Amino acid sequence: MRIFLNLLITIVLYGCVPAPHEDCGSRSLWGFADFPLGTAFDLRNEERNRELRTVFNTHFNSFTPENEFKFENIHPQPHQYNWFEADRIISFAQNKRVHGHTLIWHEQLPDWIFSAENHEHIMKEHIKAVVRRYSDKIKSWDVVNEALEENGNLRNSIWKQKIGKDYIYKAFKAASEADPDAELFYNDFNLALNPRKLDAVIDICTSLRKRGIDVSGIGMQMHISVSAPYPMEIKEAIDKIWRAGFKVHFSELDVSVNPLGNKTVISEDDLTDQYHTYYEVVKTYRSIPKAYQFGITLWGVGDADSWLESYFNRVDAGVLFDHSYRPKPAFCGFKKALSP
Ligand code: GLA
């Protein structure tokens, strides 16, 4: 029923969507986009799959490091930074925009953090060291990731426990002092599905602005599926964000075809549903004013390196290229939505 409604709303909104069987070619996807088009992966995957580099270079002009900038990797011991992997990202992605991900999060933290003292000092020093080191190349950051519960309350993370609820303000302030020109984002999941959480995010970003922090935008992670959210829900969410004066980044887009984990194979029909979902997502994104479009970032290049199968232990196929890095119908749906 939900899929049927979804399709009906799409047809009313955008007219008939062409079938996914057309030859959508292999020309550069970003060449068709009038906003930055990014993807994320771990450089170790890139080393294993040379095909990944070719597809990345051909189709994307923006890059989000999947893991290398996370606290546990870049700051594994007190006062000790591991710049090696992060430096490799910078030389690897020389001709691309690099979006920094992520400075402050409650996951992928090193063990030492849990027994440390003076977390406010640690947090500020961490942000300043990382942002300053890469300020020539990285001009946008996810400063705080996933700070909220689904009910809109602050998550009881180690940062909140040790620093108090003002840690978000303090994190953004440290980032803006470290690089006053960088674009600063708050990033979270389920923002299209959960208006209550979205309203809380917008409230936080608005109050940061009132306190003098130039928050550029909001990252909607967009780990979604073929059955939810509805296109109308995505539209309502992004309209709320840009109308509140913030740019929108679809920062971690993937579209699960097996969200309940009850399938053992992915069918042609699933991939056709996914074609439609990608088409709707991109069309919807393009409906907001250009000035508010920070870009769309896919969370993975090929299904082989997407987190969906390993993390949820299920078959899935959430991104635009298959396990052999061949374009899927989803690629065609994405591209179709980019045409004028
Ligand atoms: C969150 C994080 C990402 C990534 C995904 C799972 O969305 O923001 O960095 O870890 O979870 O892969």
Side-chain angles (χ1 to χ4, degrees):
M1 186 62 181
R2 196 172 172 106
I3 291 174
F4 172 74
L5 269 177
N6 213 348
L7 211 56
L8 194 67
I9 292 168
T10 307
I11 289 167
V12 171
L13 269 181
Y14 306 120
C16 287
V17 182
H21 311 294
E22 68 201 74
D23 173 20
C24 55
S26 55
R27 279 178 51 208
S28 161
L29 194 58
W30 73 260
F32 290 90
D34 49 6
F35 50 80
L37 185 53
T39 186
F41 51 85
D42 198 306
L43 269 198
R44 277 165 298 189
N45 282 343
E46 190 271 338
E47 280 162 5
R48 281 197 292 271
N49 305 294
R50 289 290 150 176
E51 196 57 29
L52 194 161
R53 177 184 286 239
T54 309
V55 173
F56 169 60
N57 281 328
T58 308
H59 295 291
F60 300 95
N61 60 354
S62 176
F63 179 64
T64 300
E66 186 173 356
N67 288 305
E68 287 85 347
F69 282 76
K70 288 175 178 166
F71 210 123
E72 68 176 0
N73 293 327
I74 206 166
H75 195 167
Q77 297 295 334
H79 312 297
Q80 271 180 34
Y81 291 86
N82 169 15
W83 303 122
F84 182 72
E85 299 292 331
D87 286 356
R88 281 178 64 221
I89 298 273
I90 302 302
S91 49
F92 167 79
Q94 258 173 33
N95 305 318
K96 314 280 182 187
R97 176 177 85 171
V98 178
H99 176 67
H101 174 83
T102 175
L103 293 169
I104 295 300
W105 191 27
H106 63 284
E107 286 191 21
Q108 291 189 249
L109 290 170
D111 289 343
W112 66 266
I113 278 280
F114 296 93
S115 52
E117 286 175 7
N118 201 350
H119 285 77
E120 184 167 335
H121 179 75
I122 292 170
M123 180 183 81
K124 287 178 178 169
E125 288 308 302
H126 173 84
I127 291 173
K128 287 189 178 169
V130 177
V131 171
R132 279 194 188 130
R133 181 173 176 94
Y134 297 104
S135 63
D136 284 348
K137 175 64 181 172
I138 303 186
K139 301 312 292 179
S140 61
W141 287 95
D142 290 332
V143 180
V144 175
N145 195 32
E146 301 181 352
L148 296 186
E149 303 279 6
E150 291 305 292
N151 62 8
N153 292 340
L154 264 194
R155 185 190 293 279
N156 195 26
S157 68
I158 179 131
W159 305 112
K160 186 193 160 206
Q161 288 169 30
K162 301 286 186 185
I163 306 176
K165 62 180 170 43
D166 223 22
Y167 85 86
I168 298 182
Y169 168 77
K170 288 172 177 163
F172 272 86
K173 190 156 191 315
S176 71
E177 283 170 3
D179 183 1
D181 303 328
E183 296 202 71
L184 307 181
F185 285 76
Y186 175 87
N187 194 51
D188 218 323
F189 60 91
N190 278 354
L191 299 186
L193 261 183
N194 183 348
R196 188 169 174 192
K197 187 174 183 183
L198 175 61
D199 290 347
V201 168
I202 293 176
D203 283 351
I204 287 174
C205 294
T206 305
S207 81
L208 289 174
R209 275 209 177 146
K210 286 192 185 134
R211 296 173 73 184
I213 305 288
D214 187 13
V215 180
S216 288
I218 294 174
M220 298 174 70
Q221 290 185 3
M222 296 290 283
H223 295 296
I224 63 171
S225 79
V226 287
S227 38
Y230 294 140
M232 275 307 293
E233 292 171 317
I234 301 173
K235 174 83 181 132
E236 279 165 19
I238 58 176
D239 281 349
K240 255 190 201 173
I241 296 175
W242 77 262
R243 289 199 172 114
F246 298 103
K247 290 186 183 179
V248 181
H249 184 197
F250 283 176
S251 57
E252 305 184 16
L253 176 63
D254 47 31
V255 177
S256 169
V257 288
N258 188 14
L260 302 178
N262 54 355
K263 294 177 186 168
T264 49
V265 284
I266 305 302
S267 67
E268 285 296 314
D269 284 353
D270 293 326
L271 297 180
T272 302
D273 287 347
Q274 191 183 48
Y275 165 95
H276 290 292
T277 305
Y278 269 107
Y279 178 84
E280 290 154 11
V281 166
V282 177
K283 269 284 176 210
T284 307
Y285 189 73
R286 292 188 68 208
S287 73
I288 68 171
K290 275 259 80 27
Y292 294 95
Q293 295 174 5
F294 184 75
I296 297 183
T297 300
L298 276 297
W299 206 247
V301 175
D303 288 328
D305 36 77
S306 157
W307 69 301
L308 288 175
E309 293 191 299
S310 53
Y311 188 85
F312 295 107
N313 191 23
R314 67 187 187 213
V315 292
D316 216 325
V319 287
L320 301 184
F321 298 85
D322 68 13
H323 280 79
S324 308
Y325 299 97
R326 288 174 306 222
K328 290 158 54 185
F331 176 90
C332 304
F334 199 114
K335 184 172 161 205
K336 190 81 204 165
L338 295 175
S339 34

